[in-house]
């Protein structure tokens, strides 16, 4: 994380992108560090949101073009996590994508959206809105 911190905005983009995939990485910690270092809060929120939304888009693409078996095996998503994500999506519908930022459930949720062939425009709007709000709240709490 220290190396990413030294990269500033680029490091935050990379961390946010990777954090939105199955990789266990915390973009929030890096965002906090960079906020406290004096970088522009608005720019940091935009960079983090963009990176995180694009990372989620990667999950969507994996779900869209990959089979369930390949996704579960390659990304180490258990059958249970996959079923729970699918049930949440069916239960709460399209607007559950607003919670794609939530740890543990968010990544499988974005893959399920791809598997279910959710319209890309709605996916991007809802995922980005949820992630934007999360980064705004974090920034507000830090500053």
């Amino acid at each position: 994380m220290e190396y990413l911190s030294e990269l500033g905005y680029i490091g935050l983009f990379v961390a946010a992108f990777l954090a939105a995939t199955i990789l266990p990485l915390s973009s929030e910690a890096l965002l906090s560090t960079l906020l406290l270092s004096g970088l522009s809060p608005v720019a940091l929120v935009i960079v983090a949101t963009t990176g995180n939304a694009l990372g989620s888009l990667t999950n969507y693409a994996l779900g869209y073009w990959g089979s369930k078996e390949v996704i579960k095996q390659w990304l180490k998503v258990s059958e249970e996590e996959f079923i729970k994500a699918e049930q949440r999506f069916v239960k709460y519908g399209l607007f559950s994508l607003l919670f794609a930022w939530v740890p543990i459930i968010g990544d499988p949720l974005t893959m399920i959206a791809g598997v279910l062939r959710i319209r890309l425009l709605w996916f991007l709007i809802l995922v980005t809105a949820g992630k934007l709000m999360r980064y705004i709240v974090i920034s507000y709490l830090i500053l």
Side-chain angles (χ1 to χ4, degrees), residues 23 55 58 72 77 96 98 111 116 118 123 126 131 134:
L23 297 175
T58 302
K72 287 187 282 190
V77 175
S96 64
L98 288 168
M111 280 189 286
L116 297 176
I118 298 305
F123 174 86
L126 294 169
K131 290 173 182 281
R134 172 191 60 172

Side-chain angles (χ1 to χ4, degrees), residues 30-50:
L30 184 56
L31 174 64
S32 300
T33 300
L34 295 175
L35 282 166
L36 294 172
S37 75
L39 293 177
S40 166
V42 172
L44 288 171
V45 166
I46 290 169
V47 167
T49 301
T50 303

Side-chain angles (χ1 to χ4, degrees), residues 12-135:
L12 180 60
F13 179 87
V14 170
F17 181 90
L18 294 175
T21 64
I22 298 299
L23 297 175
L25 197 63
S26 172
S27 60
E28 294 86 355
L30 184 56
L31 174 64
S32 300
T33 300
L34 295 175
L35 282 166
L36 294 172
S37 75
L39 293 177
S40 166
V42 172
L44 288 171
V45 166
I46 290 169
V47 167
T49 301
T50 303
N52 214 240
L54 290 175
S56 291
L57 185 59
T58 302
N59 291 342
Y60 175 92
L62 289 169
Y64 191 90
W65 286 306
S67 70
K68 287 183 183 181
E69 290 71 33
V70 170
I71 291 167
K72 287 187 282 190
Q73 186 176 34
W74 190 55
L75 297 175
K76 307 293 185 219
V77 175
S78 71
E79 179 71 24
E80 184 180 327
E81 287 175 315
F82 206 89
I83 289 170
K84 283 183 181 179
E86 195 168 19
Q87 288 170 342
R88 272 187 221 99
F89 200 91
V90 169
K91 182 177 180 180
Y92 298 109
L94 194 59
F95 290 99
S96 64
L97 290 172
L98 288 168
F99 300 97
W101 58 269
V102 176
I104 300 172
I105 69 166
D107 300 336
L109 192 62
T110 56
M111 280 189 286
I112 291 296
V115 169
L116 297 176
R117 306 289 200 263
I118 298 305
R119 228 172 129 210
L120 185 58
L121 179 61
W122 279 113
F123 174 86
L124 288 172
I125 289 169
L126 294 169
V127 167
T128 302
K131 290 173 182 281
L132 174 64
M133 292 309 299
R134 172 191 60 172
Y135 286 123

